[in-house]
Amino acid sequence: LGYSTPLLHIGSSFMYPNLEEAQRAVRMAGDAIRQHGLPAALCPFIAVFTGTGNVTKGALDIFKLLPFEMVDPADLPKMREPGVGSAQDCRKLYLCITTAEHMVRNKNGAPFNKGQYYREPDQYEPVFQNTVLPYSTVIVNCMYWDARFPKLFTQDDIHRHVMQGHDRLLGVCDITCDADGSVPTRQFTSIEHPFFVYNALTEKTSSCLDDPGVLFHAVDHLPSELPR
């Protein structure tokens, strides 16, 4: 997407003989971020994870090998715009973990009730697309979802934010890989070709990573990539 960062030195999982070697590569990238920083145009770099289940925990185990600072979902609007972060902003990533209470609101204005939401999801409407999406550099989607629940965001939401100048989103890692799921993954990818770029203005996808748009990663058999 036009940026050179230490993260580019991390290979795909299948390139490492075991988990320990993969973790070492991530730690080395983290050391480089601490020493040299990320490109100023990307900072502050905000990674948003969805859910708190085993998939999220596994993904966070790897992410937390990088230098990071936690940010509460409610504080996302207070974060600086990309490109105007401080020198310290460039030497770490910001981590935001979102759960159901950050994704929806009760249509009647009542406080969020997790039990009610799972029993009666039709009583809730989505807010993630307005309260979280515009402030996200990368979204890592790890949560369970089915069609009873509101989507996190749609292609129209990405298009709307781009047209409004809120084009911070660079990438979506859809670990859940639900067809027509909680995020607008247009197609599944493979271990050999793990990415595609979605252009919200043309609504077209491309396999060329130099093309403008949002980078999507959606390998539906991702766990098989790592050797035992």
Side-chain angles (χ1 to χ4, degrees):
L1 296 177
Y3 298 102
S4 177
T5 82
L7 300 174
L8 290 176
H9 299 294
I10 303 173
S12 297
S13 297
F14 72 86
M15 297 177 179
Y16 302 102
N18 51 54
L19 176 60
E20 289 73 23
E21 286 300 308
Q23 290 172 323
R24 188 170 74 89
V26 177
R27 289 192 186 95
M28 290 177 63
D31 290 341
I33 291 172
R34 289 187 187 92
Q35 293 176 15
H36 308 294
L38 294 166
L42 299 180
C43 300
F45 189 107
I46 302 172
V48 174
F49 283 65
T50 65
T52 57
N54 289 335
V55 175
T56 305
K57 291 176 181 176
L60 286 173
D61 283 346
I62 300 301
F63 181 89
K64 289 180 177 180
L65 299 175
L66 301 169
F68 73 94
E69 180 178 326
M70 293 293 301
V71 57
D72 189 89
D75 293 329
L76 287 175
K78 302 175 185 176
M79 299 296 291
R80 294 184 178 94
E81 290 292 317
V84 295
S86 67
Q88 288 304 311
D89 284 333
C90 293
R91 285 177 166 74
K92 60 188 173 186
L93 294 84
Y94 287 86
L95 169 62
C96 179
I97 300 175
T98 58
T99 59
E101 65 182 301
H102 309 115
M103 301 171 186
V104 296
R105 66 184 174 196
N106 192 296
K107 292 179 179 178
N108 297 322
F112 176 81
N113 182 291
K114 183 176 180 180
Q116 182 198 30
Y117 175 56
Y118 286 119
R119 291 192 310 270
E120 303 175 284
D122 59 314
Q123 298 300 309
Y124 287 78
E125 59 186 2
V127 297
F128 184 98
Q129 76 278 11
N130 295 323
T131 60
V132 178
L133 177 63
Y135 311 106
S136 306
T137 310
V138 171
I139 293 174
V140 184
N141 189 31
C142 311
M143 69 176 192
Y144 170 80
W145 182 88
D146 67 49
R148 296 178 300 133
F149 301 100
K151 296 177 182 290
L152 289 176
F153 60 96
T154 65
Q155 295 169 20
D156 288 342
D157 292 321
I158 299 177
H159 181 272
R160 173 168 54 87
H161 286 305
V162 170
M163 294 299 293
Q164 294 174 351
H166 301 149
D167 56 350
R168 185 177 203 137
L169 185 67
L170 293 181
V172 176
C173 180
D174 187 11
I175 300 178
T176 62
C177 284
D178 294 318
D180 192 26
S182 57
V183 300
T185 298
R186 293 283 294 267
Q187 64 196 53
F188 294 147
T189 56
S190 66
I191 289 174
E192 294 78 15
H193 303 285
F195 303 106
F196 69 87
V197 175
Y198 171 67
N199 188 319
L201 298 180
T202 65
E203 298 185 356
K204 294 182 179 180
T205 63
S206 171
S207 59
C208 178
L209 303 188
D210 291 328
D211 285 347
V214 178
L215 188 71
F216 273 77
H217 179 280
V219 179
D220 58 357
H221 56 301
L222 189 63
S224 65
E225 187 170 349
L226 191 67
R228 289 182 180 273

